[in-house]
Amino acid sequence: MTSLGQLFFSLTFLALFIVYSRSSVGHLRNIDSLIRAVRQVEESNLSLPPLALVRALRRIAGHDDAMTVHFLGTSHVFTDTAGLETAILNTSSFSFFDKALHHIVTDNGEERGVVLAPDGTTVALAPLMLGIEAGLSAWTAGTPPAGLFPLTLGRTLGLTFLSLQDFPASYRLGPNGCWDNVEYPKLFKLYHLPTLATDAVISGGMDGLILGTHLSNLPKSEALPSLSEILNGYYTFDLREGQGLDGLTDKISPKRRHLSRLVLEPIDLQNEVMETLALVWKLERTEWIAFDTGIAQAVTEGLKEFVSMYWDCPQVIPRCQWGAKSHIGTPIPLSLPLDHLFVHHTYTPSTPCLSFTDCARDMRAMQRFHQEERGWNDIGYSFVVGSDGYVYEGTGWNTVGRHTRGQNSVGYGVSFIGNYSAVLPSRYSMDLLQHQLVQCAVGRGRLISNFTLKGHRQAVNYTTCPGDAFFSEISRWGNFRE
């Protein structure tokens, strides 16, 4: 072992000792904390190439597994980065990176190695960083990115499909979970027993795939952005200058499902996953893969579920994430599938929400008004659509709401935050309902295929909801009935 390698290992064990002997010191697990830690290292090494930093982080995370080394090579050698080890291994940076990059799920359902993004979603860092490294490596070498799909999504999806092929479809992927506090996140717990492909792992894999593809296609005439710039540009943005996501071509996290679909839909995913599993067997000698004759069928069924859950369905921000209070009393279950969907606008709040922080605040205000002023058991709507690119869970898929008098048990009520008497919601937010939430509801057995779509005003005679402008728009949608 070289003297540099010996120094690296010595510092690593020393830092690990320091970190774990100070286990009482907590770290906020959000993207902002990651970006600050990365920027701290970059500022101490101003000429540091982003590829060298990503490889160093892979080294710290211990991600030199057989498949990663097969595609990206070993992370052991830092040839042109004098002082990099010292910068990364200072107590504050190392302790954050060490905790943030190791993905595990504990016996009590805590998922580690994930961070909270500013848009309210949760992302696993390991597949994100592997995707970025694959993209940077491809740009540096001037070649297509090697192993981008297997490293970000393929291996995880393939092994999940095989290990859970006898489980109900709804348990073959996921689940999501809840943070202890969205302002100061430290603990993320899952809803139920996890697969290898939790929601956070899939989100991180999508983000790694999107960013890796983008970086590999940057013109050689352009200088590569730093790692902190890559992360900041994707996860931190301001929509306040425009109408939500309309016309915004930037690659940003609220569009991950759409962007990942654009990258992957043109390729033969069945073949890609099968080839990935063959490589896993070759590199890792996973015998149960080699002799299971039902592999192809398991992959086919698994990919169908993946497409349904993560492409056809929009990302839904769960109640716990926006800070919902508990339902008062015993929820009344819906009898599915339903045959109606009623469209609303909130009127108050009258301004579209353009960030997770604003949308979550509006959701809490509406629930407080519905429970405390109107005496209802919960927020009235089944779902609420923000202009930040997300759908927010109200009473959800399975519980009767209080959205449309006399019709609550036969239909879902979906409201858009804002007053749409004279203007329309953003096109992107309308598409979340018209082309995603509806397709998801039908495809997953919550709405019948020939359901009836109506505006709130058609069911009751005392309101103009969802506003004249918006009602005129939905009257041209499929399934609308006079």
Side-chain angles (χ1 to χ4, degrees):
M1 182 182 293
T2 65
S3 58
L4 179 59
Q6 292 171 336
L7 173 62
F8 182 85
F9 278 108
S10 297
L11 288 172
T12 298
F13 285 118
L14 174 61
L16 281 170
F17 174 79
I18 293 172
V19 170
Y20 290 110
S21 65
R22 298 181 179 180
S23 58
S24 61
V25 179
H27 290 273
L28 300 184
R29 289 163 57 186
N30 55 32
I31 284 285
D32 291 340
S33 298
L34 173 67
I35 294 173
R36 284 195 298 270
V38 167
R39 191 174 290 129
Q40 179 184 8
V41 176
E42 292 170 340
E43 289 174 350
S44 64
N45 294 262
L46 295 179
S47 61
L48 177 65
L51 179 58
L53 177 52
V54 174
R55 283 178 175 161
L57 295 178
R58 170 156 62 99
R59 173 68 173 167
I60 287 176
H63 289 161
D64 273 2
D65 56 85
M67 179 171 284
T68 302
V69 172
H70 174 79
F71 286 117
L72 300 179
T74 182
S75 64
H76 288 198
V77 180
F78 308 113
T79 57
D80 58 349
T81 55
L84 177 57
E85 297 88 350
T86 303
I88 294 178
L89 291 175
N90 74 70
T91 303
S92 62
S93 290
F94 183 88
S95 59
F96 176 85
F97 291 132
D98 179 69
K99 292 177 184 294
L101 293 170
H102 284 84
H103 182 268
I104 61 169
V105 178
T106 67
D107 291 341
N108 68 347
E110 178 189 351
E111 187 172 13
R112 300 175 182 172
V114 300
V115 293
L116 176 65
D119 62 5
T121 60
T122 302
V123 178
L125 292 180
L128 166 66
M129 290 299 183
L130 288 176
I132 291 174
E133 183 178 349
L136 292 171
S137 297
W139 185 91
T140 302
T143 60
L148 187 55
F149 174 70
L151 291 171
T152 55
L153 287 170
R155 182 181 186 277
T156 300
L157 289 177
L159 293 178
T160 300
F161 297 157
L162 296 191
S163 61
L164 297 177
Q165 56 186 299
D166 296 327
F167 278 54
S170 59
Y171 281 81
R172 289 179 189 161
L173 293 166
N176 203 344
C178 294
W179 287 95
D180 55 340
N181 187 310
V182 294
E183 293 184 7
Y184 304 100
K186 293 184 179 181
L187 179 69
F188 185 72
K189 293 198 69 172
L190 298 171
Y191 294 150
H192 56 72
L193 289 175
T195 70
L196 293 174
T198 64
D199 278 12
V201 168
I202 290 179
S203 292
M206 288 180 175
D207 293 349
L209 178 84
I210 293 162
L211 290 173
T213 302
H214 170 67
L215 292 168
S216 69
N217 290 325
L218 287 177
K220 296 293 286 186
S221 58
E222 294 184 11
L224 281 175
S226 66
L227 179 57
S228 61
E229 290 171 335
I230 294 168
L231 296 171
N232 191 66
Y234 186 77
Y235 291 108
T236 306
F237 44 85
D238 189 357
L239 302 178
R240 297 182 187 282
E241 296 300 321
Q243 264 285 342
L245 276 67
D246 285 3
L248 187 63
T249 58
D250 295 348
K251 292 173 175 57
I252 57 175
S253 54
K255 301 174 74 173
R256 68 168 57 90
R257 297 193 176 199
H258 171 69
L259 293 171
S260 65
R261 189 168 201 160
L262 289 180
V263 174
L264 293 178
E265 204 165 38
I267 69 176
D268 185 347
L269 277 185
Q270 174 83 17
N271 186 62
E272 289 289 328
V273 174
M274 293 295 290
E275 288 186 355
T276 299
L277 289 173
L279 183 61
V280 171
W281 177 81
K282 177 182 177 182
L283 295 174
E284 303 176 15
R285 294 301 177 188
T286 311
E287 295 295 334
W288 59 273
I289 292 179
F291 298 105
D292 188 341
T293 57
I295 291 179
Q297 182 63 28
V299 171
T300 299
E301 293 177 357
L303 284 173
K304 181 179 179 181
E305 182 68 7
F306 169 76
V307 168
S308 174
M309 286 182 64
Y310 297 101
W311 284 353
D312 294 343
C313 293
Q315 179 102 42
V316 176
I317 303 296
R319 290 169 59 90
C320 58
Q321 202 78 327
W322 57 261
K325 293 183 178 179
S326 299
H327 185 98
I328 299 172
T330 303
I332 301 173
L334 287 164
S335 179
L336 304 180
L338 305 183
D339 55 18
H340 279 72
L341 189 149
F342 299 95
V343 180
H344 302 246
H345 70 165
T346 62
Y347 190 77
T348 302
S350 60
T351 303
C353 63
L354 297 169
S355 69
F356 165 69
T357 301
D358 290 345
C359 294
R361 183 193 62 231
D362 288 345
M363 292 295 292
R364 292 191 297 272
M366 283 187 283
Q367 186 190 40
R368 184 167 55 250
F369 175 74
H370 289 172
Q371 287 183 322
E372 297 178 6
E373 300 297 323
R374 292 191 170 177
W376 296 351
N377 291 337
D378 206 338
I379 188 170
Y381 307 118
S382 307
F383 296 95
V384 177
V385 182
S387 293
D388 61 338
Y390 292 108
V391 176
Y392 287 74
E393 181 185 25
T395 53
W397 293 117
N398 301 309
T399 301
V400 174
R402 290 288 297 270
H403 47 81
T404 311
R405 180 175 293 179
Q407 307 294 317
N408 293 307
S409 63
V410 300
Y412 292 114
V414 180
S415 190
F416 284 66
I417 293 179
N419 178 358
Y420 298 107
S421 299
V423 298
L424 288 175
S426 68
R427 181 73 259 172
Y428 193 96
S429 63
M430 289 191 291
D431 286 347
L432 287 175
L433 172 60
Q434 185 183 8
H435 299 303
Q436 293 186 56
L437 193 67
V438 162
Q439 183 175 356
C440 178
V442 173
R444 301 186 76 79
R446 289 139 177 173
L447 272 178
I448 62 174
S449 60
N450 61 337
F451 69 93
T452 295
L453 174 73
K454 289 184 176 181
H456 182 200
R457 64 172 66 183
Q458 292 173 273
V460 295
N461 58 12
Y462 56 81
T463 181
T464 60
C465 179
D468 291 344
F470 194 17
F471 181 74
S472 178
E473 167 68 21
I474 68 170
S475 68
R476 295 188 289 270
W477 291 6
N479 291 83
F480 178 83
R481 303 287 187 272
E482 289 291 347

